[in-house]
PDB file of all heavy atoms in Angstrom:
ATOM      1  N   GLY A   1      94.380 219.793 120.830  1.00 97.00           N
ATOM      2  CA  GLY A   1      93.422 218.988 121.565  1.00 97.00           C
ATOM      3  C   GLY A   1      92.083 218.839 120.837  1.00 97.00           C
ATOM      4  O   GLY A   1      91.983 219.155 119.638  1.00 97.00           O
ATOM      5  N   LEU A   2      91.083 218.387 121.572  1.00 98.00           N
ATOM      6  CA  LEU A   2      89.734 218.156 121.044  1.00 98.00           C
ATOM      7  C   LEU A   2      88.845 219.305 121.491  1.00 98.00           C
ATOM      8  O   LEU A   2      88.818 219.625 122.699  1.00 98.00           O
ATOM      9  CB  LEU A   2      89.208 216.829 121.518  1.00 98.00           C
ATOM     10  CG  LEU A   2      87.732 216.513 121.195  1.00 98.00           C
ATOM     11  CD1 LEU A   2      87.519 216.400 119.690  1.00 98.00           C
ATOM     12  CD2 LEU A   2      87.309 215.232 121.909  1.00 98.00           C
ATOM     13  N   VAL A   3      88.108 219.883 120.587  1.00 98.00           N
ATOM     14  CA  VAL A   3      87.222 220.985 120.917  1.00 98.00           C
ATOM     15  C   VAL A   3      85.947 220.845 120.077  1.00 98.00           C
ATOM     16  O   VAL A   3      85.986 220.317 118.951  1.00 98.00           O
ATOM     17  CB  VAL A   3      87.911 222.344 120.676  1.00 98.00           C
ATOM     18  CG1 VAL A   3      88.225 222.535 119.207  1.00 98.00           C
ATOM     19  CG2 VAL A   3      87.067 223.493 121.225  1.00 98.00           C
ATOM     20  N   GLN A   4      84.849 221.319 120.608  1.00 98.00           N
ATOM     21  CA  GLN A   4      83.592 221.277 119.887  1.00 98.00           C
ATOM     22  C   GLN A   4      83.520 222.384 118.882  1.00 98.00           C
ATOM     23  O   GLN A   4      84.183 223.442 119.025  1.00 98.00           O
ATOM     24  CB  GLN A   4      82.414 221.405 120.868  1.00 98.00           C
ATOM     25  CG  GLN A   4      82.223 220.217 121.781  1.00 98.00           C
ATOM     26  CD  GLN A   4      80.974 220.321 122.603  1.00 98.00           C
ATOM     27  OE1 GLN A   4      80.411 221.399 122.779  1.00 98.00           O
ATOM     28  NE2 GLN A   4      80.510 219.216 123.132  1.00 98.00           N
ATOM     29  N   PRO A   5      82.726 222.213 117.830  1.00 98.00           N
ATOM     30  CA  PRO A   5      82.542 223.298 116.845  1.00 98.00           C
ATOM     31  C   PRO A   5      82.096 224.580 117.558  1.00 98.00           C
ATOM     32  O   PRO A   5      81.262 224.560 118.447  1.00 98.00           O
ATOM     33  CB  PRO A   5      81.461 222.754 115.939  1.00 98.00           C
ATOM     34  CG  PRO A   5      81.618 221.284 116.001  1.00 98.00           C
ATOM     35  CD  PRO A   5      82.014 220.995 117.416  1.00 98.00           C
ATOM     36  N   GLY A   6      82.717 225.679 117.126  1.00 98.00           N
ATOM     37  CA  GLY A   6      82.418 226.974 117.738  1.00 98.00           C
ATOM     38  C   GLY A   6      83.339 227.306 118.897  1.00 98.00           C
ATOM     39  O   GLY A   6      83.357 228.458 119.396  1.00 98.00           O
ATOM     40  N   GLY A   7      84.135 226.338 119.347  1.00 98.00           N
ATOM     41  CA  GLY A   7      85.021 226.526 120.459  1.00 98.00           C
ATOM     42  C   GLY A   7      86.340 227.199 120.077  1.00 98.00           C
ATOM     43  O   GLY A   7      86.530 227.597 118.913  1.00 98.00           O
ATOM     44  N   SER A   8      87.230 227.322 121.068  1.00 98.00           N
ATOM     45  CA  SER A   8      88.494 227.978 120.856  1.00 98.00           C
ATOM     46  C   SER A   8      89.641 227.136 121.402  1.00 98.00           C
ATOM     47  O   SER A   8      89.471 226.322 122.335  1.00 98.00           O
ATOM     48  CB  SER A   8      88.485 229.324 121.617  1.00 98.00           C
ATOM     49  OG  SER A   8      87.522 230.209 121.110  1.00 98.00           O
ATOM     50  N   LEU A   9      90.796 227.355 120.788  1.00 98.00           N
ATOM     51  CA  LEU A   9      92.057 226.771 121.280  1.00 98.00           C
ATOM     52  C   LEU A   9      93.171 227.779 121.033  1.00 98.00           C
ATOM     53  O   LEU A   9      93.068 228.598 120.111  1.00 98.00           O
ATOM     54  CB  LEU A   9      92.391 225.479 120.513  1.00 98.00           C
ATOM     55  CG  LEU A   9      91.713 224.188 120.914  1.00 98.00           C
ATOM     56  CD1 LEU A   9      92.128 223.076 119.956  1.00 98.00           C
ATOM     57  CD2 LEU A   9      92.033 223.790 122.346  1.00 98.00           C
ATOM     58  N   ARG A  10      94.193 227.695 121.839  1.00 98.00           N
ATOM     59  CA  ARG A  10      95.409 228.486 121.601  1.00 98.00           C
ATOM     60  C   ARG A  10      96.599 227.556 121.518  1.00 98.00           C
ATOM     61  O   ARG A  10      96.867 226.803 122.441  1.00 98.00           O
ATOM     62  CB  ARG A  10      95.629 229.530 122.679  1.00 98.00           C
ATOM     63  CG  ARG A  10      96.722 230.514 122.312  1.00 98.00           C
ATOM     64  CD  ARG A  10      96.911 231.618 123.323  1.00 98.00           C
ATOM     65  NE  ARG A  10      97.690 231.209 124.503  1.00 98.00           N
ATOM     66  CZ  ARG A  10      98.381 232.019 125.258  1.00 98.00           C
ATOM     67  NH1 ARG A  10      98.393 233.326 125.019  1.00 98.00           N
ATOM     68  NH2 ARG A  10      99.037 231.560 126.298  1.00 98.00           N
ATOM     69  N   LEU A  11      97.321 227.707 120.394  1.00 98.00           N
ATOM     70  CA  LEU A  11      98.577 226.951 120.227  1.00 98.00           C
ATOM     71  C   LEU A  11      99.766 227.854 120.546  1.00 98.00           C
ATOM     72  O   LEU A  11      99.692 229.073 120.315  1.00 98.00           O
ATOM     73  CB  LEU A  11      98.685 226.479 118.776  1.00 98.00           C
ATOM     74  CG  LEU A  11      97.525 225.645 118.232  1.00 98.00           C
ATOM     75  CD1 LEU A  11      97.855 225.183 116.806  1.00 98.00           C
ATOM     76  CD2 LEU A  11      97.181 224.467 119.134  1.00 98.00           C
ATOM     77  N   SER A  12     100.790 227.261 121.064  1.00 98.00           N
ATOM     78  CA  SER A  12     102.044 227.982 121.367  1.00 98.00           C
ATOM     79  C   SER A  12     103.223 227.284 120.721  1.00 98.00           C
ATOM     80  O   SER A  12     103.200 226.051 120.527  1.00 98.00           O
ATOM     81  CB  SER A  12     102.271 228.026 122.882  1.00 98.00           C
ATOM     82  OG  SER A  12     101.219 228.630 123.556  1.00 98.00           O
ATOM     83  N   CYS A  13     104.219 228.057 120.384  1.00 97.00           N
ATOM     84  CA  CYS A  13     105.441 227.510 119.763  1.00 97.00           C
ATOM     85  C   CYS A  13     106.628 228.334 120.280  1.00 97.00           C
ATOM     86  O   CYS A  13     106.727 229.508 120.023  1.00 97.00           O
ATOM     87  CB  CYS A  13     105.359 227.566 118.261  1.00 97.00           C
ATOM     88  SG  CYS A  13     106.900 227.119 117.415  1.00 97.00           S
ATOM     89  N   ALA A  14     107.505 227.646 120.994  1.00 96.00           N
ATOM     90  CA  ALA A  14     108.691 228.290 121.532  1.00 96.00           C
ATOM     91  C   ALA A  14     109.878 227.960 120.654  1.00 96.00           C
ATOM     92  O   ALA A  14     110.065 226.808 120.216  1.00 96.00           O
ATOM     93  CB  ALA A  14     108.965 227.830 122.972  1.00 96.00           C
ATOM     94  N   ALA A  15     110.696 228.996 120.371  1.00 95.00           N
ATOM     95  CA  ALA A  15     111.850 228.827 119.507  1.00 95.00           C
ATOM     96  C   ALA A  15     113.098 229.362 120.186  1.00 95.00           C
ATOM     97  O   ALA A  15     112.995 230.202 121.089  1.00 95.00           O
ATOM     98  CB  ALA A  15     111.609 229.561 118.179  1.00 95.00           C
ATOM     99  N   PRO A  16     114.282 228.916 119.741  1.00 93.00           N
ATOM    100  CA  PRO A  16     115.509 229.515 120.276  1.00 93.00           C
ATOM    101  C   PRO A  16     115.577 231.001 119.959  1.00 93.00           C
ATOM    102  O   PRO A  16     115.129 231.445 118.888  1.00 93.00           O
ATOM    103  CB  PRO A  16     116.609 228.751 119.545  1.00 93.00           C
ATOM    104  CG  PRO A  16     115.974 227.487 119.079  1.00 93.00           C
ATOM    105  CD  PRO A  16     114.556 227.852 118.790  1.00 93.00           C
ATOM    106  N   ARG A  17     116.129 231.778 120.867  1.00 91.00           N
ATOM    107  CA  ARG A  17     116.187 233.226 120.663  1.00 91.00           C
ATOM    108  C   ARG A  17     116.883 233.609 119.369  1.00 91.00           C
ATOM    109  O   ARG A  17     116.455 234.540 118.665  1.00 91.00           O
ATOM    110  CB  ARG A  17     116.917 233.877 121.842  1.00 91.00           C
ATOM    111  CG  ARG A  17     117.057 235.397 121.731  1.00 91.00           C
ATOM    112  CD  ARG A  17     117.772 235.985 122.932  1.00 91.00           C
ATOM    113  NE  ARG A  17     116.977 235.818 124.129  1.00 91.00           N
ATOM    114  CZ  ARG A  17     116.043 236.678 124.508  1.00 91.00           C
ATOM    115  NH1 ARG A  17     115.744 237.724 123.752  1.00 91.00           N
ATOM    116  NH2 ARG A  17     115.370 236.482 125.615  1.00 91.00           N
ATOM    117  N   SER A  18     117.933 232.880 119.011  1.00 89.00           N
ATOM    118  CA  SER A  18     118.674 233.203 117.797  1.00 89.00           C
ATOM    119  C   SER A  18     117.803 233.079 116.549  1.00 89.00           C
ATOM    120  O   SER A  18     118.077 233.731 115.549  1.00 89.00           O
ATOM    121  CB  SER A  18     119.911 232.314 117.681  1.00 89.00           C
ATOM    122  OG  SER A  18     119.502 230.951 117.634  1.00 89.00           O
ATOM    123  N   ILE A  19     116.862 232.182 116.585  1.00 89.00           N
ATOM    124  CA  ILE A  19     115.923 231.999 115.473  1.00 89.00           C
ATOM    125  C   ILE A  19     114.794 233.000 115.559  1.00 89.00           C
ATOM    126  O   ILE A  19     114.448 233.681 114.602  1.00 89.00           O
ATOM    127  CB  ILE A  19     115.393 230.548 115.458  1.00 89.00           C
ATOM    128  CG1 ILE A  19     116.499 229.562 115.227  1.00 89.00           C
ATOM    129  CG2 ILE A  19     114.270 230.410 114.446  1.00 89.00           C
ATOM    130  CD1 ILE A  19     117.150 229.714 113.848  1.00 89.00           C
ATOM    131  N   PHE A  20     114.210 233.064 116.728  1.00 89.00           N
ATOM    132  CA  PHE A  20     112.971 233.836 116.885  1.00 89.00           C
ATOM    133  C   PHE A  20     113.158 235.316 116.577  1.00 89.00           C
ATOM    134  O   PHE A  20     112.273 235.951 116.004  1.00 89.00           O
ATOM    135  CB  PHE A  20     112.471 233.671 118.325  1.00 89.00           C
ATOM    136  CG  PHE A  20     111.107 234.230 118.537  1.00 89.00           C
ATOM    137  CD1 PHE A  20     109.977 233.438 118.248  1.00 89.00           C
ATOM    138  CD2 PHE A  20     110.899 235.509 119.025  1.00 89.00           C
ATOM    139  CE1 PHE A  20     108.693 233.936 118.427  1.00 89.00           C
ATOM    140  CE2 PHE A  20     109.620 236.010 119.220  1.00 89.00           C
ATOM    141  CZ  PHE A  20     108.530 235.221 118.910  1.00 89.00           C
ATOM    142  N   SER A  21     114.318 235.853 116.880  1.00 86.00           N
ATOM    143  CA  SER A  21     114.540 237.302 116.774  1.00 86.00           C
ATOM    144  C   SER A  21     114.593 237.744 115.301  1.00 86.00           C
ATOM    145  O   SER A  21     114.357 238.922 115.024  1.00 86.00           O
ATOM    146  CB  SER A  21     115.792 237.715 117.478  1.00 86.00           C
ATOM    147  OG  SER A  21     116.931 237.079 116.938  1.00 86.00           O
ATOM    148  N   ILE A  22     114.919 236.854 114.378  1.00 89.00           N
ATOM    149  CA  ILE A  22     115.082 237.307 112.984  1.00 89.00           C
ATOM    150  C   ILE A  22     114.235 236.559 111.977  1.00 89.00           C
ATOM    151  O   ILE A  22     114.081 237.016 110.841  1.00 89.00           O
ATOM    152  CB  ILE A  22     116.566 237.234 112.542  1.00 89.00           C
ATOM    153  CG1 ILE A  22     117.095 235.820 112.687  1.00 89.00           C
ATOM    154  CG2 ILE A  22     117.394 238.222 113.359  1.00 89.00           C
ATOM    155  CD1 ILE A  22     118.505 235.657 112.168  1.00 89.00           C
ATOM    156  N   TYR A  23     113.705 235.418 112.358  1.00 93.00           N
ATOM    157  CA  TYR A  23     112.930 234.623 111.407  1.00 93.00           C
ATOM    158  C   TYR A  23     111.445 235.020 111.437  1.00 93.00           C
ATOM    159  O   TYR A  23     110.906 235.422 112.487  1.00 93.00           O
ATOM    160  CB  TYR A  23     113.006 233.130 111.760  1.00 93.00           C
ATOM    161  CG  TYR A  23     114.247 232.442 111.250  1.00 93.00           C
ATOM    162  CD1 TYR A  23     115.518 232.956 111.488  1.00 93.00           C
ATOM    163  CD2 TYR A  23     114.135 231.265 110.505  1.00 93.00           C
ATOM    164  CE1 TYR A  23     116.644 232.313 111.012  1.00 93.00           C
ATOM    165  CE2 TYR A  23     115.275 230.615 110.041  1.00 93.00           C
ATOM    166  CZ  TYR A  23     116.503 231.135 110.297  1.00 93.00           C
ATOM    167  OH  TYR A  23     117.638 230.504 109.840  1.00 93.00           O
ATOM    168  N   ALA A  24     110.830 234.855 110.270  1.00 96.00           N
ATOM    169  CA  ALA A  24     109.373 234.898 110.227  1.00 96.00           C
ATOM    170  C   ALA A  24     108.861 233.584 110.842  1.00 96.00           C
ATOM    171  O   ALA A  24     109.408 232.524 110.605  1.00 96.00           O
ATOM    172  CB  ALA A  24     108.872 235.053 108.819  1.00 96.00           C
ATOM    173  N   MET A  25     107.779 233.677 111.621  1.00 97.00           N
ATOM    174  CA  MET A  25     107.199 232.519 112.247  1.00 97.00           C
ATOM    175  C   MET A  25     105.826 232.262 111.625  1.00 97.00           C
ATOM    176  O   MET A  25     105.090 233.214 111.313  1.00 97.00           O
ATOM    177  CB  MET A  25     107.072 232.720 113.719  1.00 97.00           C
ATOM    178  CG  MET A  25     108.365 233.008 114.457  1.00 97.00           C
ATOM    179  SD  MET A  25     109.536 231.657 114.382  1.00 97.00           S
ATOM    180  CE  MET A  25     108.675 230.376 115.278  1.00 97.00           C
ATOM    181  N   GLY A  26     105.462 231.013 111.514  1.00 97.00           N
ATOM    182  CA  GLY A  26     104.166 230.711 110.909  1.00 97.00           C
ATOM    183  C   GLY A  26     103.564 229.432 111.419  1.00 97.00           C
ATOM    184  O   GLY A  26     104.218 228.656 112.131  1.00 97.00           O
TER     185      GLY A  26
END
């Protein structure tokens, strides 16, 4: 989204369990 300088945001990323359990995420 749009945020002013100095502000905060949180991004999320959901993955299939078969991937998430063994892969590095970035």
Side-chain angles (χ1 to χ4, degrees):
L2 173 64
V3 64
Q4 291 187 340
S8 298
L9 280 176
R10 189 176 80 155
L11 306 183
S12 302
C13 172
R17 179 179 294 275
S18 59
I19 296 295
F20 191 84
S21 61
I22 59 175
Y23 278 52
M25 302 296 296

